[in-house]
Amino acid sequence: MRHLRFLLLCLLAAGAARAQPGPPRRTYCNPLNLDYGYTPIPNFSTAGRHRATADPVITLFKGTYYLFSTNQRGYWHSKDLYDWQFIERTFIPPGLKTYDDLCAPAVCAVGDTLLVFGSTQEKNFPLWMSTDPLHNQWKHAVYPFQVGAWDPDFFLDTDGKLYLYWGSSNTYPLYGQQISRKTFQPIGEKKEMFGLNDKQFGWQRFGEYLDNTFLDPFMEGAWMTKHAGKYYLQYGAPGTEFSGYADGVQVADQPLGPFVPQPHNPFAYKPGGFARGAGHGNTFQDVWGSYWHLSTMVVAVKNNFERRLGLWPAGFDADGVLYTDTDFGDYPHYLPTGPADHLKSTFTGWMLLNYQKPVRASSTLGGYAPNLAVDESIKTYWSAATGGPGEWFQTDLGRVSTVRAVQINYADQDAQFLGKQLGIYHQYKLLYSLDGQKWQMLVDKSRNKTDVPHDYIELPQAVQARYLKLENVHMPTGKFALSGLRVFGSAGGPKPAAVREFVVLRTEHDKRSAWLKWAPASDAYAYNIRIGIAPNKLYHSILVHSQTDYYFKGMDKDLPYYFTIEAVNEAGTGPATKVQDAP
């Protein structure tokens, strides 16, 4: 009996152990919270010094992720796609006079070596190599590299052959060429890959409103991915300064073509929400083999080239269609903990709780009003009169809500820095309250020594709060200014009802474009539109706020499209409307 009792206790203990929940999945929120450098180009900052980077690449090399992007005077590394550590390194050779330090870099793992090459129109730049980038050990693979390539991309095929793709122009196409693995010299002549066709593809039209004013569209940012024996050559268009900046793709049976457009295009697209744009990036696999897409997001306030970085789940569906999931793409999403099917959303379901809600501030600089920090636009911001300690910003959620995460997006008002800065930091206190009178500490970073321009804080435990207050302790430069203090969680209560009277108007006049209209809903602060080339391939997602129509101008004029819409409020999303077609 004693042995039986002991066995029963062991079984109960084992069951209890199995019942214990594992560690929660970590989350992240776009734009990525990196210590972005400031533009190093004086002529690009005449309207104000500001942070800027773009044209990113993440490469998994020897179990570590390496992130390179434009003009950072170094690169980042990470083990988990969340905590990124910066390594300072200039890749400009002595005597070469340029502001661009690895502009739109190419990064490629070839065996036990990482290759890095920056954009140049001349034959004056080295191809760098490292077997130990974690410890900043680099040397020249060849100097100078004999292909003058802007926006380059190296691709190592499964047969061991190495290729280079490049191009950045509103006149010329992308180019491709084989490169010798032994000498790194070009083999044969460069070959034209393909160009843009904005008369066919509406999303390729130049301009914020895709109206082709001022300039012809730009094609840039080549990136090659091989999947199931097919070659997917990706590219950015129509201009990096626009909300519709996106990545398209063409597919071939051979690495140098001929290529044909994938029907689902662009495959990375985010023209709505707080931070917009999903162009000129790269597609990579994580340690479990799941695909992700890294890309450029647009600010373009102080200069057209004021930009940030975003990370999105991606993959290939059963038909070999390359897609990127930007649905609620600047809300909290789960990071990977194992192999994943990215056709299943990684969105946490934590909703924005303070869109256009009442705010207060310690002071205001000119027209940079407090409400601009809760209007869901990275292009607008509130600024305090100073950058001194004690300046504060307060947001009212409207009712007691469950708060799970906060994203603090600083704005560059009267910043003084030019180029990459090391050793700078933000310090603050984030407090919460049920009544606006009695405050408790939520996050204390008054001793923080890191640079966190888009600080995202996932709370270890959810809290009940109605008011949140951000108190400044130290700014690295300039005024205490916020483009967005964004609070995520759930307000409880009912989710919104289904959207009524959703209509899609697409006429023969210009089938690249459609006018979407719907009835306003009093219980919604936003609407999420999903669009695709088939009812089961609604891969585009556009989040719009405080409006009841939308001009979608991104279609292939020869394909039918399918649409649905759902209302969004602080409790969640309502039921999607029945999918309707627009032939």
Side-chain angles (χ1 to χ4, degrees):
M1 181 64 71
R2 185 181 305 161
H3 295 294
L4 183 61
R5 186 181 299 114
F6 177 75
L7 180 60
L8 181 60
L9 289 172
C10 288
L11 289 171
L12 289 172
R18 284 194 299 271
Q20 294 299 314
R25 292 180 64 185
R26 203 169 196 179
T27 64
Y28 75 103
C29 189
N30 289 317
L32 292 179
N33 185 33
L34 300 167
D35 51 335
Y36 300 97
Y38 294 76
T39 179
I41 307 174
N43 289 345
F44 282 12
S45 60
T46 55
R49 303 293 199 236
H50 60 273
R51 298 178 189 264
T53 196
D55 323 317
V57 177
I58 287 180
T59 299
L60 180 61
F61 181 69
K62 296 184 179 180
T64 297
Y65 301 100
Y66 291 91
L67 194 168
F68 292 77
S69 65
T70 289
N71 289 342
Q72 295 304 288
R73 209 177 74 236
Y75 53 96
W76 293 272
H77 64 90
S78 173
K79 284 290 187 181
D80 57 7
L81 297 175
Y82 183 88
D83 288 314
W84 293 95
Q85 303 299 316
F86 186 75
I87 294 177
E88 183 182 18
R89 173 82 193 194
T90 180
F91 290 89
I92 298 177
L96 186 60
K97 294 183 179 180
T98 177
Y99 289 114
D100 290 321
D101 196 320
L102 280 191
C103 181
V107 184
C108 183
V110 179
D112 68 346
T113 301
L114 197 65
L115 299 178
V116 171
F117 178 60
S119 294
T120 178
Q121 302 284 16
E122 310 294 334
K123 298 178 181 179
N124 63 351
F125 202 84
L127 175 61
W128 295 88
M129 62 183 292
S130 176
T131 58
D132 189 12
L134 192 62
H135 294 96
N136 202 11
Q137 301 298 310
W138 295 89
K139 62 181 180 180
H140 295 156
V142 61
Y143 182 31
F145 185 54
Q146 290 301 302
V147 180
W150 203 268
D151 285 11
D153 167 50
F154 280 109
F155 167 68
L156 181 65
D157 204 349
T158 50
D159 63 5
K161 294 180 180 179
L162 184 65
Y163 296 87
L164 180 68
Y165 303 90
W166 71 94
S168 178
S169 173
N170 65 341
T171 302
Y172 300 106
L174 295 184
Y175 296 96
Q177 191 168 22
Q178 188 179 345
I179 304 295
S180 169
R181 282 276 302 271
K182 292 183 179 180
T183 65
F184 297 110
Q185 299 302 312
I187 297 174
E189 298 296 322
K190 69 180 182 182
K191 183 178 178 182
E192 291 188 5
M193 299 293 96
F194 51 84
L196 297 180
N197 181 5
D198 56 324
K199 291 181 173 58
Q200 174 83 21
F201 306 108
W203 69 275
Q204 294 180 1
R205 289 175 282 186
F206 191 79
E208 180 67 19
Y209 303 105
L210 301 178
D211 48 19
N212 265 353
T213 58
F214 186 65
L215 285 174
D216 292 330
F218 278 80
M219 184 182 211
E220 53 200 353
W223 180 264
M224 175 64 83
T225 300
K226 187 177 184 180
H227 173 75
K230 299 285 188 180
Y231 297 85
Y232 294 75
L233 184 52
Q234 300 144 60
Y235 60 95
T240 191
E241 60 267 61
F242 304 126
S243 298
Y245 194 43
D247 277 342
V249 61
Q250 294 204 22
V251 187
D253 294 322
Q254 302 295 330
L256 295 179
F259 288 89
V260 296
Q262 174 181 273
H264 169 59
N265 256 309
F267 77 93
Y269 192 49
K270 190 186 180 300
F274 171 71
R276 303 177 180 185
H280 193 152
N282 86 302
T283 303
F284 68 96
Q285 289 177 279
D286 63 23
V287 294
W288 296 282
S290 303
Y291 283 97
W292 295 80
H293 191 69
L294 177 71
S295 59
T296 303
M297 306 188 80
V298 179
V299 180
V301 172
K302 293 182 171 63
N303 184 266
N304 286 355
F305 300 102
E306 183 182 7
R307 297 163 294 179
R308 301 291 191 268
L309 305 184
L311 179 65
W312 332 94
F316 296 85
D317 70 14
D319 298 317
V321 174
L322 175 59
Y323 66 89
T324 296
D325 181 7
T326 62
D327 195 36
F328 289 97
D330 47 36
Y331 282 40
H333 279 65
Y334 290 111
L335 282 165
T337 56
D341 176 5
H342 282 161
L343 288 173
K344 298 177 181 177
S345 177
T346 62
F347 176 37
T348 59
W350 302 345
M351 309 311 294
L352 184 68
L353 300 179
N354 63 329
Y355 172 66
Q356 297 288 38
K357 296 291 179 66
V359 291
R360 297 177 61 201
S362 55
S363 65
T364 297
L365 177 69
Y368 299 104
N371 63 294
L372 297 177
V374 293
D375 68 349
E376 276 299 273
S377 174
I378 200 172
K379 292 176 175 287
T380 62
Y381 58 89
W382 160 77
S383 177
T386 78
E391 296 277 19
W392 54 265
F393 181 88
Q394 179 179 314
T395 181
D396 178 357
L397 307 184
R399 55 177 164 169
V400 175
S401 303
T402 301
V403 177
R404 295 187 175 274
V406 179
Q407 187 189 43
I408 302 168
N409 299 276
Y410 288 96
D412 295 319
Q413 178 60 38
D414 296 331
Q416 299 298 310
F417 295 139
L418 192 67
K420 183 70 179 184
Q421 304 295 315
L422 301 178
I424 63 174
Y425 54 91
H426 299 81
Q427 292 177 338
Y428 63 82
K429 295 178 181 179
L430 184 62
L431 302 104
Y432 71 103
S433 172
L434 293 172
D435 57 8
Q437 302 297 319
K438 182 179 179 182
W439 295 91
Q440 299 182 66
M441 186 69 68
L442 186 61
V443 178
D444 186 353
K445 288 200 174 184
S446 58
R447 297 183 179 181
N448 174 61
K449 290 294 184 179
T450 57
D451 186 18
V452 286
H454 296 278
D455 207 9
Y456 171 70
I457 307 103
E458 178 186 351
L459 302 178
Q461 291 184 333
V463 299
Q464 298 297 304
R466 174 171 173 173
Y467 301 90
L468 281 86
K469 181 188 289 186
L470 182 67
E471 293 185 358
N472 182 51
V473 175
H474 172 80
M475 285 289 293
T477 183
K479 305 291 195 298
F480 179 48
L482 301 170
S483 63
L485 178 62
R486 308 174 72 218
V487 183
F488 296 100
S490 174
K495 297 179 181 180
V499 173
R500 297 180 297 107
E501 300 177 35
F502 180 50
V503 178
V504 179
L505 302 173
R506 185 187 190 191
T507 71
E508 294 296 328
H509 177 71
D510 185 352
K511 299 198 73 172
R512 298 171 298 176
S513 305
W515 186 19
L516 284 57
K517 292 177 60 66
W518 58 93
S522 60
D523 58 352
Y525 70 75
Y527 302 90
N528 192 37
I529 307 165
R530 292 192 177 93
I531 305 167
I533 58 170
N536 63 339
K537 297 182 189 294
L538 302 178
Y539 297 151
H540 290 326
S541 176
I542 305 171
L543 189 64
V544 300
H545 296 79
S546 300
Q547 63 190 77
T548 56
D549 69 342
Y550 184 81
Y551 286 93
F552 177 60
K553 303 173 72 174
M555 290 184 285
D556 179 337
K557 70 180 183 64
D558 292 334
L559 292 181
Y561 280 77
Y562 297 82
F563 299 81
T564 185
I565 189 172
E566 60 190 6
V568 179
N569 71 11
E570 295 84 358
T573 58
T577 61
K578 182 181 178 181
V579 175
Q580 61 178 281
D581 66 331

